[in-house]
Amino acid sequence: MTDMRLIVLGASGRMGRALTRAIAEIEGVTLAGALEREGSAHLGADAGELAGLGPLGVRVTDDPLPLVAHADGVVDFTAPAATVAIAELAAQARIVHVVGTTGLSETDLDRLDAVARHAVVVRSGNMSLGVNLLAALVRQAARALGPDWDIEVLEMHHRAKVDAPSGTALLLGEAAAEGREVALKDASVRVRDGHTGPRAEGAIGFATLRGGSVVGEHTVILAGAGERVELVHRAEDRMIFARGAVKAALWGFGRKPGHYSMADVLGLQRD
Ligand SMILES: NC(=O)C1=CN([C@@H]2O[C@H](COP(=O)(O)OP(=O)(O)OC[C@H]3O[C@@H](n4cnc5c(N)ncnc54)[C@H](O)[C@@H]3O)[C@@H](O)[C@H]2O)C=CC1
Ligand SMILES: O=C(O)C1=N[C@H](C(=O)O)C[C@H](O)C1
């Protein structure tokens, strides 16, 4: 069987470089193109050299059209505007779109839902096995412990991260809300400052830390009267996300159109 041909969007970014390495190490996929934004200092560079692999003969370009026409999928860890733009092109070409980009607005998500009527979109705020397993545990804990236990989601990331709360924190908050059978938008408290008054009953709180080179750390705290449960994930290497994204692309290849999640890819049941 021939390899699945993948394009990396945002090829010179932290995740873009990790994706190039993951494509090189995983069987059944090949790097078919490397895209960057207009004006990037890395246009024309060899994607393999950017990723520390040595030359692969794939030059970074800012023109998606010729690449999309000859590829089977695009892996995209960039920024919301770039993700929505490539989603339209990927859907027209009927190629798999794996979306790792976080900070997407409700409008952006509606656009992805619309294109997923015609194409395979696999999207997750976190592509690692560990976090997706953690989400299942959080759902179960929130259901078992009930509303008397307060839920707070704490996250820390490197100083260059631009969105908050992280996509993972929101994914974990969604899992907690599902466990409680409430809508996250009705329960979430994303910022606290000044004289806030006591904690609202049933709130799912978020707290954000930024600094240094932290790849990604998430703690879901379930605080009861006189005791506390903490569920923690620590990412130590971006390759966990990159390998997950390549696995998602392979899973999506040949599948019927739809907006899928990493829980679908990993076969994690929603109990
Ligand atoms: N879902 C997951 O498992 C993970 C998601 N992320 C998310 O991935 C995104 C990127 O993260 P990093 O790699 O750390 O950021 P980064 O800033 O290092 O890389 C982003 C890259 O995208 C490029 N880009 C921006 N607009 C573009 C366009 N229109 N066309 C092509 N390229 C464009 C930038 O030039 C940059 O090279 C963020 O939203 C982050 O939260 C990061 C790690 C894991
Ligand atoms: O920007 C990052 O770095 C990360 N972003 C994702 C998020 O927003 O949760 C995933 C991971 O934690 C790293």
Side-chain angles (χ1 to χ4, degrees):
M1 215 172 110
T2 54
D3 281 357
M4 183 179 190
R5 297 162 299 175
L6 291 177
I7 301 166
V8 174
L9 189 67
S12 71
R14 282 174 289 273
M15 278 305 300
R17 294 171 198 236
L19 288 162
T20 299
R21 290 197 291 278
I23 291 169
E25 79 175 29
I26 293 175
E27 274 186 35
V29 287
T30 194
L31 183 67
L35 279 163
E36 257 301 337
R37 60 179 167 76
E38 268 179 53
S40 163
H42 299 288
L43 294 178
D46 187 288
E49 289 194 338
L50 283 176
L53 297 173
L56 290 175
V58 177
R59 299 269 163 204
V60 178
T61 165
D62 60 2
D63 184 3
L65 289 178
L67 296 186
V68 164
H70 297 101
D72 303 304
V74 54
V75 279
D76 163 13
F77 288 62
T78 54
T83 293
V84 170
I86 201 77
E88 311 281 350
L89 294 180
Q92 280 163 23
R94 300 287 191 268
I95 66 172
V96 176
H97 185 189
V98 176
V99 181
T101 306
T102 58
L104 296 161
S105 67
E106 285 301 319
T107 312
D108 298 333
L109 293 173
D110 289 346
R111 298 277 292 277
L112 292 185
D113 277 339
V115 302
R117 288 202 283 273
H118 313 287
V120 174
V121 177
V122 186
R123 184 183 62 81
S124 177
N126 195 303
M127 299 273 174
S128 74
L129 173 61
V131 157
N132 285 281
L133 176 66
L134 179 66
L137 297 174
V138 167
R139 191 177 303 112
Q140 200 180 345
R143 177 173 299 134
L145 294 175
D148 288 346
W149 289 64
D150 300 328
I151 301 181
E152 296 282 314
V153 184
L154 172 67
E155 55 112 333
M156 180 159 187
H157 284 87
H158 54 96
R159 61 168 70 106
K161 184 159 178 64
V162 294
D163 57 306
S166 69
T168 310
L170 294 171
L171 180 159
L172 295 170
E174 284 287 358
E178 282 167 21
R180 284 198 168 162
E181 299 181 11
V182 297
L184 181 60
K185 66 176 171 34
D186 299 334
S188 77
V189 175
R190 291 169 62 147
V191 179
R192 292 188 182 103
D193 186 28
H195 185 84
T196 62
R199 192 179 196 283
E201 205 181 317
I204 297 176
F206 291 87
T208 300
L209 308 178
R210 293 284 176 266
S213 57
V214 177
V215 173
E217 296 196 2
H218 294 86
T219 306
V220 179
I221 302 165
L222 298 108
E227 57 183 327
R228 198 161 76 229
V229 174
E230 297 187 357
L231 299 167
V232 185
H233 181 268
R234 293 192 180 89
E236 294 168 356
D237 185 341
R238 288 187 174 84
M239 288 303 285
I240 62 172
F241 313 127
R243 292 190 189 108
V246 173
K247 187 169 179 176
L250 282 165
W251 179 90
F253 196 25
R255 203 163 285 273
K256 72 174 181 357
H259 194 158
Y260 298 99
S261 72
M262 210 52 199
D264 297 318
V265 175
L266 297 169
L268 294 170
Q269 301 295 325
R270 289 186 177 271
D271 41 45

